[in-house]
């Protein structure tokens, strides 16, 4: 039996996944966490084979925390289950050491299949992500821009797009406010815009956020 912990902000997601697997002979939901602190508490107390993790989980402010989880809980595998752009976030998730990336638009059968494959040692990413990783030199405009942005720049851009101020972003990411300003200037340059409104609009147009 695969022991799974679900970490997601939304009770309806917990209910839906628990209902789907309630009669499963392969998957047992052994924990529920609605924020990052609760997830760590569960992992420190229980043996968990796989965590189904939403990148929007409350308290999960940076991909660096995902990297730390991979290191600190080496016997537990991470399956990302999120609404965040697969094209944008899956490559960085792969680099961080997660075992699968499933978009929430996929059927629950896809998630179930990913859990089974990951438990057997596979790394599960869609053909689209694999193709994008393989064809580094053959990208459209938005894909080339993805490659220009660092993981930290993507995180800063995400919070800017959510309407957060530099001071708020600095606190969330544990950075100096001046450092956030530097990232913001880099983003303006790399995305070839001159102000925050255009920066956010361009990011949305290109599906970067």
């Amino acid at each position: 039996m695969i022991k799974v912990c679900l970490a997601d902000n939304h009770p309806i997601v917990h209910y839906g996944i628990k209902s789907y697997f309630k009669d499963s002979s392969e998957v047992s939901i052994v924990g529920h966490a609605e924020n990052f602190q609760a997830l760590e508490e569960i992992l420190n107390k229980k043996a968990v084979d796989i965590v189904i993790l939403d990148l929007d989980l409350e308290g999960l402010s940076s991909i660096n925390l995902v990297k730390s989880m991979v290191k600190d809980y080496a016997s537990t595998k991470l399956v990302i289950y999120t609404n965040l752009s697969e094209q944008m976030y899956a490559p960085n998730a792969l680099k961080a050491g997660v075992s699968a990336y499933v978009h929430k638009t996929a059927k629950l059968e896809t998630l179930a299949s990913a859990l089974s494959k990951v438990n057997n040692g596979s790394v599960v990413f869609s053909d689209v992500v694999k193709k994008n990783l393989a064809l580094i030199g053959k990208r459209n405009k938005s894909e080339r821009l993805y490659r220009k942005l660092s993981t930290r720049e993507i995180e800063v851009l995400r919070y800017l797009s959510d309407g957060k101020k530099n001071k708020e972003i600095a606190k969330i990411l544990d950075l100096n406010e001046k450092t956030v300003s530097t990232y913001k200037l880099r983003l303006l340059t790399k995305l070839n815009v001159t102000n925050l409104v255009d920066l956010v609009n361009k990011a949305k147009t290109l599906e970067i956020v």
Side-chain angles (χ1 to χ4, degrees), residues 158-176:
R158 177 181 167 193
Y159 288 120
L160 286 171
S161 298
D162 285 341
K164 290 183 170 56
K165 305 298 183 183
N166 289 9
K167 186 175 182 179
E168 295 176 283
I169 298 171
K171 185 177 181 180
I172 292 170
L173 297 178
D174 194 23
L175 297 172
N176 184 283

Side-chain angles (χ1 to χ4, degrees), residues 118-162:
V118 165
N119 190 59
N120 289 325
S122 297
V123 176
V124 182
F125 288 82
S126 73
D127 290 339
V128 172
V129 172
K130 292 175 183 176
K131 183 177 179 180
N132 286 344
L133 290 173
L135 302 177
I136 292 176
K138 300 178 181 179
R139 291 186 170 86
N140 60 34
K141 185 178 180 181
S142 62
E143 290 172 321
R144 290 198 300 271
L145 285 172
Y146 294 160
R147 282 294 157 186
K148 285 184 179 181
L149 303 184
S150 69
T151 299
R152 186 63 89 186
E153 286 167 348
I154 292 169
E155 290 171 344
V156 170
L157 180 55
R158 177 181 167 193
Y159 288 120
L160 286 171
S161 298
D162 285 341

Side-chain angles (χ1 to χ4, degrees), residues 7 9 33-43 53 57-62 65-66 68-69 73:
N9 294 335
E34 294 187 1
N35 57 62
F36 187 72
Q37 182 179 350
L39 174 59
E40 287 191 305
E41 290 174 357
I42 290 170
L43 293 178
L53 177 66
L57 182 71
E58 181 183 345
L60 183 63
S61 58
S62 168
L65 288 179
V66 176
S68 296
M69 286 183 65
Y73 305 100

Side-chain angles (χ1 to χ4, degrees), residues 25-95:
S25 60
E26 185 178 16
V27 174
S28 174
I29 306 297
V30 298
H32 296 267
E34 294 187 1
N35 57 62
F36 187 72
Q37 182 179 350
L39 174 59
E40 287 191 305
E41 290 174 357
I42 290 170
L43 293 178
N44 287 329
K45 294 177 181 177
K46 292 184 177 182
V48 176
D49 297 315
I50 299 175
V51 172
I52 299 174
L53 177 66
D54 189 346
L55 291 178
D56 270 332
L57 182 71
E58 181 183 345
L60 183 63
S61 58
S62 168
I63 196 71
N64 289 330
L65 288 179
V66 176
K67 292 179 182 178
S68 296
M69 286 183 65
V70 171
K71 179 180 178 181
D72 295 341
Y73 305 100
S75 62
T76 301
K77 297 174 182 178
L78 300 183
V79 170
I80 302 301
Y81 185 60
T82 185
N83 274 322
L84 292 178
S85 168
E86 182 182 47
Q87 203 171 29
M88 190 66 209
Y89 289 92
N92 287 328
L94 178 59
K95 291 177 185 177

